[in-house]
Structure formats: C-alpha cells, structure tokens
C-alpha cells in the first residue's frame, strides 16, 4: 500500500483487484473506489448480468483497467495477477463475481457451483500465489437460510442454505476460510442482506417492479407476498467493504444489513406509489398491476441481520434510509432507460 500524507489526513491508495465489477454491486463499488483515488482492475466475464458500459467513462484512465475473463480460468487469472499500477502489484482482491439469481439457480444449478465455488477457489489460489496481502469474499445473508417471525442472523448463526445459489455461496465462504486456517492467508468475509440501487439487472425484484410498471405490465409477486427481506442501499454495503479493508481482521465474518425489513408486498406498494408520484400517474393504476404468482420452490420466509458487531468492530452503520434509497433508485431507473430497456422482462 502507498501511504500518502496530506495536511489533515493519512490515507492509502490501494491497488484493487475487483472481480464482477461490471455487475450490480461491483459497478457501484468500482465507482466509489475510483472516486476515492484507488486504482482498480475490473475482471469480469460479462455474463448476461455484467455490462462493461457501466464504466465507459472510466475507460482509458490510468487508474482503471478492465479485463474480460472468467474467474474459473486459472491461466487467465494468473496472467491478470501480473498486472500492476504504479509499478506495484495488488493490495486487495474483492471477489464479487458470482452467479447471483436464486430463480436461475433452481433451474440451472451447475453453473452456480462452477462460478461460485470453483471460481472462488481459483481466485484464492492465484491471489495467494501472487502474494496479495488480503482477500475479501463477498457473501450473503442467504447462507444462514430462513428465519421464523422473530430473531436475526448473527455472525455465528448456523449455516443452513436453502437454494443452489445460497449453497454455492456457503461453499465459497468455507473454501475462503480454509485458506486462513490452512495457510494463515488473510481472508475476510462479508455477508449482506438484499441490496438495491443503481445498476441492478432488471431480472431482480426491485428493477422488475419499476421497469414492468413503466410498461404497464403485471408485477409478479410470489405466493402471498408476505416473505420478508431486509433491504440495504447498495452504497451502504460498499462503504462496509471499505471498512472491512480498513478495520477488519483476518478470518472474520462481517454482517451488513439495512434494518429495513419489508414484506415483498409492502415493498412493491412503496415502489409503485413512489413511481406514480414521480410520473404523475394515479397510484391505483400502478397498484392494480400487482399479481400473485405461484411461489418459488423452497422460498425462504424471512431474513434479518443483526449487524451490531460491524458497528462495534468496523465503525460501520447504514446511513441511507429506505425511503430516501428507494427515491434515488426510482430516479436512477427513470433517467437511465438505456441500461434496462431491452433487458426488462
Ligand atoms: N444483490 C444482492 O442483493 C446481494 C446481497 C448479498 C450478497 N451479494 C453478493 O454480491 C456479489 C455481487 O452480486 P450482484 O448482485 O452485483 O451480482 P450481479 O449478478 O449483478 O453481478 C455479477 C457479476 O459477476 C460477473 N460474473 C459472473 N460469472 C463470472 C465469472 N465466471 N467470471 C468473472 N465474472 C463473472 C457478471 O458478469 C457480473 O458482472 C455476489 O457475490 C452476490 O452473491 C449480492
């Protein structure tokens, strides 16, 4: 790490190896990292979920480099680890790359095991061989399975994943932690609740609601719509990852949540009302688009996160309220139609 002292601040310019930086959370993280002066290598296979155009304004800058490649491809990964910024190798790997959609994992489990488990193992081996001092594995609250009507997930809650997606993410976490136990390699894990914000692919629930409502198509809500998720604004998650780099410890698991538990039905109504207000359409015209459809097999009922350990150990807490975050998100989809038109279902 290069240490730079200014009059009032001591801060670090990091060389970051980011995988999956063309996807939803990765895109936001890349932007935050560049805005803070860090050097970013973005390694992404550009699956259906990744868009290189998310950072077209950064291409050609000396502190940003995009390389197309697959995290399962040992040779390609090893080659990328030889790249440098300012004559130095990488300080941190942040592994966002994943197959991330639960519904897809139910119908095509194999690619989830491949990317999420094998890909993570490939990245860990290459990062350790290249002497990268720190590896952050981006994981999910879904590794803990489903909650009843009370209680919250805690760091040491039992791992009990339900879907092929969450099972593959659990496998990835365990392989990552094994690199600490086996080699003393500095691996840190983050587990976060459902993110929302800019750049999320239209197949996910919030963009589906916004984009289908704008086309006056029905909004599919699984089963009774009373499944509960805890929603966090994506920038709060990204800030937490920076805090893990600054204040975290090897082999620790850090939990992030938005403390904004909502049923899927409530969430749909809030978004539709926000959208109605912003587009001058009567609320009832959008609310009537909500359509209950057959529930997802094995659908988890409730997730909620106790992130007090991250407040105590990282000095992190979410700062964007659900209402403000939803406003920003709806505004972003209204002003960035090229991002989603053609991809919305
Ligand atoms: N979205 C959420 O609410 C949420 C919550 C908690 C954790 N996470 C985790 O955060 C990470 C990012 O999630 P997201 O929502 O941004 O996902 P996303 O699907 O939007 O993006 C995934 C990115 O990874 C890339 N990718 C996929 N397979 C690859 C491969 N084999 N090699 C290289 N790149 C590949 C894709 O092209 C895409 O750019 C994932 O690991 C996910 O499990 C997501």
């Amino acid at each position: 790490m290069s240490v730079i002292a200014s009059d009032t601040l001591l801060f670090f310019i990091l060389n970051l190896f980011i995988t999956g930086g063309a996807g939803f959370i990765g895109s936001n993280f890349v932007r935050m990292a560049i805005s803070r002066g860090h050097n970013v290598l973005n390694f992404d296979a550009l699956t259906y979920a990744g868009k290189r155009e998310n950072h077209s304004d950064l291409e050609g800058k000396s502190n940003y480099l995009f390389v197309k490649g697959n995290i399962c491809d040992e040779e390609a990964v090893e080659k990328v680890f030889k790249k440098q910024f300012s004559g130095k190798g990488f300080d941190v790997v942040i592994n966002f790359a994943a197959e991330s959609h639960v519904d897809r994992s139910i119908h095509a489990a194999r690619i989830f095991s491949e990317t999420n488990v094998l890909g993570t193992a490939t990245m860990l081996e290459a990062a350790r061989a290249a002497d990268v001092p720190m590896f952050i594995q981006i994981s999910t609250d879904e590794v803990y399975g489903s909650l009843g009507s009370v209680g919250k997930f805690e760091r040491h809650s039992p791992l009990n994943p339900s879907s092929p997606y969450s099972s593959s993410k659990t496998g990835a976490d365990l392989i990552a932690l094994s690199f600490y136990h086996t080699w003393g390699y500095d691996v840190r894990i983050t587990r976060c609740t459902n993110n929302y914000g800019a750049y999320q692919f239209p197949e996910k629930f919030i963009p589906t609601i916004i984009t289908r409502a704008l086309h006056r198509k029905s909004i599919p809500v699984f089963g009774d719509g009373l499944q509960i998720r805890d929603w966090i604004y994506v920038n709060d998650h990204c800030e937490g990852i920076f805090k893990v780099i600054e204040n975290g410890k090897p082999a620790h698991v850090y939990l992030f949540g938005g403390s904004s538990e909502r049923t899927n039905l409530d969430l749909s109504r809030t978004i539709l009302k926000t959208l109605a207000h912003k587009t001058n359409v009567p609320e009832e015209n959008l609310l009537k688009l909500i359509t209950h459809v057959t529930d997802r097999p094995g659908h988890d009922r409730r997730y909620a996160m106790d992130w007090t350990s991250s407040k105590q150990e990282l000095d992190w807490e979410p700062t964007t309220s659900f209402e403000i975050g939803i406003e920003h998100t709806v505004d972003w989809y209204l002003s960035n139609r090229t991002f989603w038109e053609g991809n919305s279902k």
Side-chain angles (χ1 to χ4, degrees):
M1 294 180 200
S2 341
V3 184
I4 301 230
S6 76
D7 287 349
T8 52
L9 288 172
L10 186 67
F11 61 95
F12 300 99
I13 291 183
L14 299 169
N15 287 353
L16 301 174
F17 188 133
I18 295 176
T19 72
F24 164 42
I25 304 173
S27 286
N28 286 283
F29 188 84
V30 165
R31 289 214 164 273
M32 199 180 267
I34 292 285
S35 74
R36 292 176 183 196
H38 300 299
N39 299 313
V40 170
L41 182 133
N42 179 3
F43 185 68
D44 195 299
L46 299 180
T47 67
Y48 76 94
K51 280 181 182 264
R52 186 169 177 172
E53 309 84 275
N54 290 354
H55 304 112
S56 44
D57 56 319
L58 301 180
E59 302 257 3
K61 291 194 191 275
S62 60
N63 59 343
Y64 177 77
L65 185 59
F66 178 83
V67 178
K68 184 176 178 199
N70 190 324
I71 59 167
C72 303
D73 181 343
E74 256 182 298
E75 220 174 289
V77 167
E78 274 169 28
K79 220 162 119 190
V80 182
F81 271 105
K82 296 203 169 75
K83 295 205 180 283
Q84 299 189 329
F85 286 104
S86 314
K88 281 192 326 97
F90 294 96
D91 299 304
V92 188
V93 172
I94 306 165
N95 189 31
F96 290 97
E99 287 293 335
S100 69
H101 194 41
V102 176
D103 290 337
R104 284 180 189 257
S105 81
I106 290 166
H107 301 291
R110 194 175 181 282
I111 182 75
F112 281 74
S113 301
E114 209 168 281
T115 298
N116 300 357
V117 183
L118 191 64
T120 300
T122 308
M123 285 302 301
L124 283 159
E125 281 188 332
R128 197 181 79 83
D131 288 327
V132 180
M134 191 193 299
F135 189 106
I136 300 186
Q137 174 63 11
I138 305 300
S139 186
T140 164
D141 58 351
E142 299 193 32
V143 300
Y144 295 121
S146 187
L147 287 166
S149 54
V150 291
K152 292 185 176 186
F153 297 130
E154 293 170 12
R155 180 184 272 165
H156 297 297
S157 296
L159 298 173
N160 188 23
S162 319
S163 69
Y165 162 69
S166 51
S167 304
S168 65
K169 291 296 290 184
T170 309
D173 284 10
L174 296 178
I175 286 176
L177 287 173
S178 79
F179 270 63
Y180 174 77
H181 296 295
T182 311
W183 306 106
Y185 189 43
D186 182 347
V187 172
R188 306 170 187 198
I189 312 261
T190 66
R191 294 184 181 144
C192 187
T193 58
N194 280 36
N195 287 222
Y196 66 95
Y199 297 108
Q200 189 167 30
F201 193 74
E203 71 183 348
K204 298 288 171 60
F205 193 42
I206 289 183
T208 295
I209 298 169
I210 300 170
T211 60
R212 286 184 69 92
L214 286 170
H215 285 146
R216 302 293 184 273
K217 290 182 179 168
S218 64
I219 314 286
V221 170
F222 282 133
D224 59 10
L226 300 182
Q227 307 86 354
I228 293 176
R229 299 291 179 263
D230 170 20
W231 292 93
I232 181 171
Y233 190 56
V234 64
N235 288 19
D236 281 331
H237 181 190
C238 293
E239 182 61 48
I241 297 166
F242 276 109
K243 293 278 187 182
V244 170
I245 298 175
E246 284 167 36
N247 303 334
K249 290 194 180 135
H252 274 52
V253 172
Y254 295 100
L255 308 185
F256 301 126
S259 295
S260 297
E261 285 185 50
R262 298 286 186 284
T263 67
N264 286 346
L265 208 48
D266 278 347
L267 174 72
S268 312
R269 288 183 181 135
T270 303
I271 291 170
L272 293 173
K273 284 180 189 171
T274 308
L275 198 57
H277 174 69
K278 288 185 182 289
T279 54
N280 291 321
V281 172
E283 279 182 8
E284 56 276 19
N285 288 9
L286 298 187
L287 289 172
K288 71 180 183 200
L289 297 171
I290 293 176
T291 308
H292 292 268
V293 298
T294 309
D295 207 353
R296 168 194 282 165
H299 205 172
D300 289 337
R301 200 65 185 163
R302 176 172 168 260
Y303 305 140
M305 195 64 106
D306 177 356
W307 46 265
T308 45
S309 55
S310 294
K311 176 150 176 75
Q312 286 156 2
E313 296 167 27
L314 302 177
D315 187 27
W316 174 90
E317 61 187 325
T319 57
T320 310
S321 73
F322 178 74
E323 290 69 26
I324 298 287
I326 289 293
E327 288 248 347
H328 289 334
T329 306
V330 169
D331 285 340
W332 190 86
Y333 280 89
L334 285 172
S335 333
N336 290 277
R337 283 175 172 263
T338 48
F339 174 84
W340 56 267
E341 269 173 348
N343 280 315
S344 65
K345 289 182 279 175

